[in-house]
């Protein structure tokens, strides 16, 4: 499986490359918007609960300030993207 053209395994990896980190935050937000709880997200992403909460907050900031990511999220939702 991939999201944004990135393998899910790369999104759950510990890599700190900026583009990957941003997509990781947005992926976590999509999980949250799909009804996953923070603990469940943390387990799926190999992170802790606090990191999942922070990722959702950071993703919201990114979506509000970056038109490119906002459009990407809208397109995924229009396609009925479900996690």
């Amino acid at each position: 499986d991939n999201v944004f053209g990135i393998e899910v395994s790369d999104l759950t990896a510990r890599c700190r490359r900026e583009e990957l980190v941003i997509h990781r935050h947005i992926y976590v937000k999509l999980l949250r918007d799909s009804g996953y709880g923070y603990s469940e997200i943390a387990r799926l992403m190999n992170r802790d609960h606090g990191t999942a909460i922070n990722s959702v907050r950071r993703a919201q900031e990114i979506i509000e300030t970056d038109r490119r990511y906002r459009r990407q999220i809208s397109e995924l939702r229009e396609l009925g993207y479900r996690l």
Side-chain angles (χ1 to χ4, degrees), residues 22-81:
I22 290 170
H23 281 98
R24 183 180 300 134
H25 290 321
I26 292 171
Y27 182 64
V28 168
K29 173 137 177 56
L30 286 171
L31 288 169
R32 182 69 179 154
D33 291 350
S34 295
Y36 286 81
Y38 287 116
S39 295
E40 192 173 12
I41 293 168
R43 189 173 57 256
L44 289 170
M45 299 299 293
N46 300 316
R47 303 295 193 278
D48 62 42
H49 179 263
T51 301
I53 292 170
N54 186 57
S55 286
V56 171
R57 287 182 189 145
R58 182 69 184 112
Q60 191 59 45
E61 291 171 7
I62 293 166
I63 291 165
E64 288 173 2
T65 60
D66 192 317
R67 186 178 340 168
R68 176 184 54 193
Y69 291 111
R70 189 169 44 247
R71 185 177 60 244
Q72 216 171 27
I73 295 295
S74 293
E75 289 171 0
L76 286 170
R77 288 181 177 147
E78 286 174 15
L79 292 172
Y81 187 79

